[in-house]
Every structure is written in structure tokens, then in C-alpha cells.
Amino acid sequence: MERFRNRKIAVIGAGVIGGAITEALLPYCTVTATRRKVDRLERLRQKGAEITPNNLSAAEKADLVILAVKPGQVIPVLRNIAPACAGKLVVSFAAAVTLELMKKATSEARLMRAMTNTAVLVRRGYTVFCRDDRTTEEDMTLARAAFACLGECEQVDEQFLDVLTAMSGSGPAYIYTVVESMINGALRVGLPRDIALRAAAHTAIGASQLLLASGKHPAELRDQVTTPGGVTIEGLYELEESRIRTAFMKAVAAASSRAKDIAAEVRSAAEREIERGGNHAENQAGNMPSVK
Ligand SMILES: NC(=O)c1ccc[n+]([C@@H]2O[C@H](COP(=O)([O-])OP(=O)(O)OC[C@H]3O[C@@H](n4cnc5c(N)ncnc54)[C@H](OP(=O)(O)O)[C@@H]3O)[C@@H](O)[C@H]2O)c1
């Protein structure tokens, strides 16, 4: 970690996820955060980030460049900062934009693609990443040190990134839906709102931690808490009647299929821009589809 402290990281596109990544990195290294509406970065500046609307100068100063712009902006932004990225590691957190496509926009940089979620704000993100074949072991050390500031991380094959976008990226929305539904259920039978929220959230954390620590299948852990003729089985029966597991299986499949569709749209739009060449690309960026 001591070596990491001297590192300079540029976060290009410090919006929701880029801002959260910036906050998570700030205690450990120097971070320059960029976006066009730079006044919206004031809170990050107060927390110790350097801020600028100038992507190129931020990338020039950095040892590691993190991209957190919308998928449609990745290629135009990469082309703009390419001279500053030569010989450096660039990690894109944008959904859908492949390493192959990024390589076309910045042939001299070494590249990684990653996906995470907003739990990085409390250092509980689950970051998955893949790397291009030019990345070095030193790049891996640097990237892993940065990802460690965000929570857990794991290297995966690039082919899984679309479904992992539906799991890690979109997952918090599904968990919040479950937690909210449990809160509403408790409100319905008269539990005060604040206790209901804490009970639902802590139960979700505890169950997840036990799942990971035990190495057991969720069905086995569920069975352990399901007494014959007891309370839990009554609730489970209602959930089964609502086809809860089918609903979640369909949700993840639908989200991952949507991520794949958008990836294809982004890819063809970016390929058209790369073929056209020039700064024209930057003006067209807003027309590309976005993934969230
Ligand atoms: N939100 C999530 O939970 C999440 C999780 C994992 C991955 N992602 C991925 O992260 C990316 C960003 O998502 P988001 O939800 O954080 O979107 P967002 O809040 O809209 O952030 C994107 C940021 O990029 C900035 N930006 C746009 N063009 C720029 C440019 N040319 N130079 C510098 N900054 C620029 C925008 O600010 P200005 O308009 O001021 O420039 C905006 O703040 C997406 O690709 C998404 O797939 C998101």
C-alpha cells in the first residue's frame, strides 16, 4: 500500500460511479477527477481530489487512467486522451465497450475493462475485470491495489462481463427491491419504519456474509432455518406462490440480454466513428446508447 500512496490516478468522468470510485481511492493516493461540468466536482475537491474539466492534462499527470464515462463516450474520450495514455494502464468501467474496440482508439495504451457497483462508497463493491494481452504483472499489481480500495475484486474472462453487468452493476437495484419489499411487509403488520429498515438491511448483510464464509449453497442455509410447521416455511410458501425465483432468474436474464443488445449498438456506433475518424466523433457521442 505504501507504494500505492505515491500513485496518481485520473478518473475521467466523475459522475455517479466515477465519483464513488474517486471517493474510495482518495484516502490512499492522489486522484484527479474530471467532468465537463466541473463545478459539480466541488464536493470531491473538498474531500481532497484535484479537479479539472481537462481530460488530457489529467491523463498526462496520471500513472493510471480510469474511465467512468457512459459507454457512448468511451471511444471519443479515449481518442482525445490517447497521446497521454501511451505506455500507461487505462481501466474502463463503462459497460459494453470491449477491449478490442478500445484498442482501436488508443493503440499505445495497455487496457483493462472492469465492472463494479455503487457499494464502492463503503468499500464493499464487487469489482470484476479483464485485461488485454499487453498488460504486465506491474499493471496487475497497480490495478489490484486500486480495486482493493473499492472492495473485493476478481479477474474474469471478458465474455462474462455483460452478464456481470446485470449482476454486479445492476445487482444493488435488485437487492434494494428485496429489502424494500421486506420493509413494506413489516410496515404492513405494524413494525416501526426505522426498525424495519435496520432489520431488513442487517439481515441481508448477515445472510450474505454467512453465505460467503460457510461456502454452502444458499438452499442448504435456507433449509437450516426452515423448521417443519414453523414461521419461515409459511413465508417461503407465499414467496414460492409468487414465483419469486423464476422472477429473479428472468430479471437477470433480461438485464444481461439488454446489456448485450446495448453492447452491440455501442459497438456498431463506435466502429462507424472510428472509420469516420477525426474530432467529429466527440460531437456524436451523446447519440450513442447508454447502459446503467
Ligand atoms: N452507476 C453505476 O452503478 C455503474 C456501475 C458500474 C459501471 N457503470 C458504468 O459507468 C459509466 C458511467 O455511469 P454513471 O452511472 O456513473 O453515469 P453518470 O453519472 O452520467 O457519469 C458519467 C460522467 O461522465 C461525465 N462526462 C461525460 N462526457 C465527458 C467527457 N467528454 N469528459 C469528461 N467527463 C465526461 C459526465 O459529466 P459531464 O456531463 O459534466 O461531463 C458524467 O458525470 C457507464 O459507462 C456505466 O456503464 C455504472
Side-chain angles (χ1 to χ4, degrees), residues 191-209:
L191 193 68
R193 196 178 299 276
D194 54 341
I195 305 178
L197 188 144
R198 285 196 296 278
H202 283 296
T203 303
I205 293 172
S208 302
Q209 285 185 342

Side-chain angles (χ1 to χ4, degrees), residues 171-282:
Y174 308 147
I175 303 295
Y176 293 137
T177 304
V178 170
V179 167
E180 184 193 17
S181 309
M182 286 176 68
I183 292 171
N184 285 344
L187 291 182
R188 209 164 157 234
V189 289
L191 193 68
R193 196 178 299 276
D194 54 341
I195 305 178
L197 188 144
R198 285 196 296 278
H202 283 296
T203 303
I205 293 172
S208 302
Q209 285 185 342
L210 179 60
L211 180 64
L212 290 172
S214 68
K216 290 182 175 161
H217 190 278
E220 192 181 342
L221 292 173
R222 191 182 58 226
D223 198 45
Q224 278 174 10
V225 296
T226 310
T227 315
V231 173
T232 308
I233 191 65
E234 283 305 310
L236 286 174
Y237 183 75
E238 288 294 329
L239 289 173
E240 291 298 336
E241 268 211 328
S242 310
R243 297 168 58 87
I244 181 92
R245 280 186 286 177
T246 311
F248 272 101
M249 285 160 75
K250 285 171 76 175
V252 172
S256 110
S257 148
R258 180 72 187 128
K260 278 192 201 310
D261 286 351
I262 294 176
E265 291 167 36
V266 168
R267 225 165 278 146
S268 53
E271 272 162 4
R272 280 198 304 276
E273 288 204 0
I274 287 169
E275 273 165 30
R276 267 202 306 268
N279 289 332
H280 176 67
E282 212 140 354

